[in-house]
Amino acid sequence: MPENYRRLLPPVGPSLLASRAPVSRRAESQGLTADAEHVLLHGVLPAYNALVADEQETQIVPPTLLGQPAIRYALAVTVCVYASAAVFSLAAQVPQLRSMTDGVYSAAQAARGQQVYQVQCGECHGMAMEGTTGPPLVGDSFLSNWSGRPLANLIDKIEKTMPFNQPVSLSRQQSADLAAYILQAGKFPAGQAELTEATLAQVAFPTVRTFPAPAASGAATFLPPPEGNLAELMRAIAFPAANTIFNLQIRDPAAQPKKSPASSPFDYVEWGSSVYPGWLAVDQAAIAITETAPLFLTPGRRCQNGRPVPVDRADWKQYVAALVEVGKLAHQTSRARNYEAFVDISEKLNDACANCHKVYRDKGGTEGSGAIRCQ
């Protein structure tokens, strides 16, 4: 405590404040309202007196009435004390992350997960989780893919997207049991308690340091000459993929009834929708947009009217980059099976398309054939 306040501030008790009716004469002389006096009497003074008592262990302080500077100082000290206590209280409530080596699942839970795995997962991921048509669920590539990510993400993926041909057919409990079996197969030790929703948020995969894969020798560093013009490329890939995403504004892919495979002879669109229905179609549409948008920058491609696509213009490159970003966002959201988020994503996709269209497409003519388009 500063030296000038040591000389100024004695212990203060309620006796120094007259009865509150409505404001004590002592408080009124100090310029306090009734509410301020109450705070001072019941909140500030106890903390202030404790500080002064500590000072008096080493010094004798002459009694002096509490003045306005002292009141302000005591108020400031009390606020600091309360704020510090609140910070420590909040810090104590933050859950501590647990290591997967601490035994976050039980052996019995992993045994249940093994039974589910053998029936639902082994055909695609291999009976030893080595990966066949599906990716491996053990080993370096698996840990690298999930490095540092919450274990809850893996359970969400299992519950919402697996098995590949029958998504959303496993319960949350079955998904957690499968995660326990995957951890056991990955040599993470079992513990006494099962993995539950209460503990799930505290567990994350270990962070694995990864190195970029070396470039393949002799790999092509250029795009092949374009096959179609810009309008044809748009209609072949961007148009159907974008409309698959726009359609989510009115149709939940998880609620679509499963179709029986079309019989021969069959329409290829109907057949395709029966093979990759619902969310799988959305996954593929998002990937199609992300992966093929850079083809709009292929040198030598022309618009339908014969003009060269303005691949070197800065704004054209920005429009392509915006389409790639919204494609990535759509893919991430689709994998999470977050239907509600696609209202906003549809708007972002519409903006990405419209921003380019109003500059390069909407200048007369139809179907990309306007003479002044692509300028």
Side-chain angles (χ1 to χ4, degrees):
M1 185 180 295
E3 186 65 29
N4 58 331
Y5 283 123
R6 287 197 184 102
R7 294 194 300 269
L8 182 63
L9 308 180
V12 179
S15 61
L16 288 180
L17 297 176
S19 60
R20 302 173 65 245
V23 182
S24 72
R25 290 187 296 276
R26 177 65 61 187
E28 187 175 17
S29 69
Q30 300 291 344
L32 297 177
T33 65
D35 290 338
E37 179 193 2
H38 181 75
V39 171
L40 179 64
L41 181 62
H42 297 284
V44 175
L45 294 182
Y48 164 76
N49 285 340
L51 288 172
V52 174
D54 182 64
E55 292 292 331
Q56 287 182 336
E57 289 183 4
T58 57
Q59 296 189 51
I60 298 177
V61 182
T64 307
L65 291 180
L66 187 63
Q68 285 183 325
I71 292 174
R72 288 194 295 269
Y73 180 82
L75 281 168
V77 169
T78 304
V79 170
C80 290
V81 170
Y82 288 159
S84 299
V87 169
F88 283 113
S89 177
L90 288 174
Q93 296 175 14
V94 175
Q96 297 297 316
L97 289 179
R98 297 178 59 190
S99 169
M100 285 190 178
T101 60
D102 293 340
V104 298
Y105 68 94
S106 70
Q109 186 176 27
R112 295 198 307 267
Q114 182 178 17
Q115 294 177 354
V116 177
Y117 184 90
Q118 291 172 344
V119 176
Q120 301 285 0
C121 315
E123 183 178 354
C124 288
H125 294 280
M127 296 311 295
M129 299 191 187
E130 73 278 12
T132 54
T133 57
L137 301 179
V138 292
D140 293 341
S141 62
F142 175 76
L143 292 177
S144 176
N145 183 48
W146 290 94
S147 174
R149 296 167 64 181
L151 181 58
N153 287 13
L154 175 62
I155 296 178
D156 288 342
K157 182 176 178 64
I158 295 172
E159 181 185 16
K160 296 176 180 179
T161 69
M162 294 291 124
F164 181 79
N165 59 345
Q166 288 184 315
V168 202
S169 60
L170 297 173
S171 68
R172 184 70 172 178
Q173 183 62 60
Q174 288 175 314
S175 301
D177 293 346
L178 280 168
Y181 180 51
I182 291 172
L183 294 182
Q184 185 184 67
K187 308 302 181 183
F188 292 101
Q192 298 300 317
E194 292 196 354
L195 183 65
T196 65
E197 290 296 327
T199 59
L200 194 56
Q202 304 173 21
V203 184
F205 279 92
T207 300
V208 178
R209 186 178 181 185
T210 59
F211 298 92
S217 60
T221 57
F222 59 89
L223 291 170
E227 180 68 22
N229 63 40
L230 182 62
E232 291 170 333
L233 180 61
M234 289 278 189
R235 295 177 201 139
I237 304 175
F239 181 76
N243 279 287
T244 297
I245 292 176
F246 290 142
N247 196 45
L248 298 184
Q249 297 175 95
I250 58 173
R251 183 177 298 173
D252 184 349
Q256 296 180 28
K258 185 174 177 59
K259 297 180 180 180
S260 300
S263 58
S264 180
F266 52 79
D267 177 90
Y268 81 96
V269 174
E270 288 296 323
W271 172 75
S273 66
S274 67
V275 176
Y276 304 115
W279 278 113
L280 294 178
V282 182
D283 291 342
Q284 290 149 197
I287 291 171
I289 290 173
T290 305
E291 296 278 7
T292 63
L295 296 178
F296 301 154
L297 298 172
T298 304
R301 194 181 303 280
R302 292 186 176 273
C303 298
Q304 185 169 302
N305 61 9
R307 293 181 178 275
V309 175
V311 295
D312 293 327
R313 289 189 55 166
D315 61 344
W316 182 265
K317 294 176 181 178
Q318 291 176 353
Y319 297 142
V320 172
L323 190 58
V324 170
E325 287 304 311
V326 75
K328 290 180 178 179
L329 179 60
H331 188 214
Q332 176 184 350
T333 308
S334 179
R335 287 186 299 178
R337 303 307 190 236
N338 186 353
Y339 175 60
E340 289 76 13
F342 269 94
V343 173
D344 182 57
I345 291 175
S346 294
E347 292 180 358
K348 286 182 169 63
L349 178 59
N350 181 72
D351 290 343
C353 296
N355 290 339
C356 182
H357 289 174
K358 66 185 179 184
V359 174
Y360 289 104
R361 188 195 69 172
D362 302 335
K363 293 185 176 180
T366 59
E367 291 298 308
S369 61
I372 60 174
R373 293 188 178 187
C374 285
Q375 290 186 354

